[in-house]
Amino acid sequence: MIVKYEVSALWRTPRDRTRLVERIEDAVRRGLAMRSEESDTAVFFRADDVAVPGERCARMFAVFHKHAAPLDAAVTPAWATALRAAGLLDMAGGPARVDFHTHGWRHVNHEPLEMPGPDGKRRKKCEFGPARDPERKRRDLERGMDRLQTLFADSFIPVFTPPWNRCDAEALGDIKELGYAAISRDDGASPAAPAGLDDFPVLVDLHTRREENPDAGMEALLEELAQGLSRPVCGIMLHHQRMNGVAADFVDALLHVLADCKGVQIRGLRAILSR
């Protein structure tokens, strides 16, 4: 496991709970007022880079159990072992519905970042991009699905979240052919998913924030939340490795507000897929 994690500046200073709830409520009201449809907004929470049932993972699961709110855990298959999966399933037992889906294979970059891409632009990190041999990409996609189906059984859902929220068109075609029902990436990610493969983007990023000023970070986060809730489906991305106590308190407050909000339904990807 070579991914490095750092807690964003936003989560380094505790905030007053009452004022925090008020600000979240304001963002939710603004978002719902912008909706173009009368139906409820479906919200899902996607936790990336899951594999080890450690202390921070347990804290994240506990917050969702407290509110009996569904959680979608994106598991990196090469990091997963039978022992780790058993620990995650044990943590998942409780009031919340926790489902597990595929998050790449090893979460490693294969793109030569020092070279321009086929379009002449700067390359970005990607595990399933144009620099890789097509057969190796497909093999990793297939064995990732097989491993997680074996480890998580009925708690596995056929959804694919690519590392760094990106993959190429070739990989998208393989993902569909291998039996995945949906992909989850950033909003507006390209290329577009092929017909028959649902695309449920994350619109709110809680933990991989880059604002150096905590107040600016909170403003930007709440604006993302408002904009996301104006859409029929709003995905919220978490990273438990970056989730300290302050960040966990925010998720707790957010779930509290959303649970009591008319016009919002907190739903897992399993339920959204079956609509």
Side-chain angles (χ1 to χ4, degrees):
M1 299 173 62
I2 59 174
V3 180
K4 296 181 180 180
Y5 302 100
E6 183 179 354
V7 175
S8 300
L10 171 60
W11 307 120
R12 295 176 192 164
T13 304
R15 294 178 182 270
D16 177 75
R17 169 80 177 202
T18 300
R19 178 58 179 148
L20 180 61
V21 168
E22 290 174 350
R23 296 187 70 184
I24 294 173
E25 288 175 337
D26 177 69
V28 171
R29 282 193 296 268
R30 289 190 290 112
L32 296 181
M34 291 188 284
R35 289 183 303 177
S36 59
E37 301 180 13
E38 294 184 1
S39 58
D40 290 350
T41 296
V43 175
F44 69 91
F45 287 83
R46 194 192 85 196
D48 287 4
D49 301 349
V50 173
V52 180
E55 180 181 344
R56 290 197 175 187
C57 189
R59 176 166 51 196
M60 176 178 68
F61 280 28
V63 174
F64 282 84
H65 284 313
K66 176 182 176 181
H67 296 275
L71 175 65
D72 288 289
V75 179
T76 304
W79 301 349
T81 64
L83 183 62
R84 288 175 174 177
L88 290 170
L89 288 168
D90 184 59
M91 285 183 181
R97 171 82 201 208
V98 181
D99 284 314
F100 300 87
H101 68 270
T102 313
H103 188 34
W105 168 246
R106 293 181 57 218
H107 205 304
V108 296
N109 172 54
H110 291 275
E111 295 298 303
L113 301 180
E114 71 281 1
M115 299 174 58
D119 57 1
K121 297 181 180 179
R122 181 177 65 87
R123 292 179 188 260
K124 296 181 179 180
K125 290 181 179 180
C126 188
E127 186 170 20
F128 295 91
R132 291 194 71 191
D133 174 74
E135 292 185 5
R136 291 187 176 184
K137 280 192 293 188
R138 185 180 178 93
R139 181 193 64 188
D140 285 352
L141 289 167
E142 187 170 16
R143 63 179 176 167
M145 187 182 205
D146 289 345
R147 176 174 290 190
L148 296 191
Q149 280 181 321
T150 299
L151 292 175
F152 294 100
D154 292 341
S155 292
F156 174 80
I157 56 172
V159 174
F160 187 84
T161 290
W164 300 288
N165 289 295
R166 63 179 69 97
C167 60
D168 65 6
E170 192 172 58
L172 286 169
D174 288 337
I175 289 164
K176 178 187 175 184
E177 289 178 8
L178 290 170
Y180 283 98
I183 189 167
S184 182
R185 303 176 288 175
D186 287 332
D187 187 35
S190 62
L197 182 68
D198 287 329
D199 194 346
F200 298 116
V202 287
L203 307 176
V204 183
D205 176 4
L206 292 188
H207 299 134
T208 59
R209 309 204 62 86
R210 298 182 178 179
E211 299 92 353
E212 295 183 3
N213 182 291
D215 292 333
M218 181 59 71
E219 288 289 342
L221 172 57
L222 293 174
E223 181 60 26
E224 279 183 16
L225 179 63
Q227 293 295 330
L229 291 174
S230 72
R231 305 269 288 271
V233 179
C234 174
I236 299 178
M237 180 172 65
L238 303 87
H239 285 79
H240 67 278
Q241 298 94 336
R242 298 173 183 257
M243 191 171 165
N244 61 5
V246 176
D249 289 343
F250 179 89
V251 175
D252 179 57
L254 177 58
L255 289 170
H256 168 75
V257 172
L258 294 179
D260 291 336
C261 183
K262 184 179 180 180
V264 173
Q265 291 187 24
I266 306 175
R267 309 185 71 181
L269 287 170
R270 182 188 296 270
I272 294 173
L273 280 167
S274 66
R275 289 192 307 181

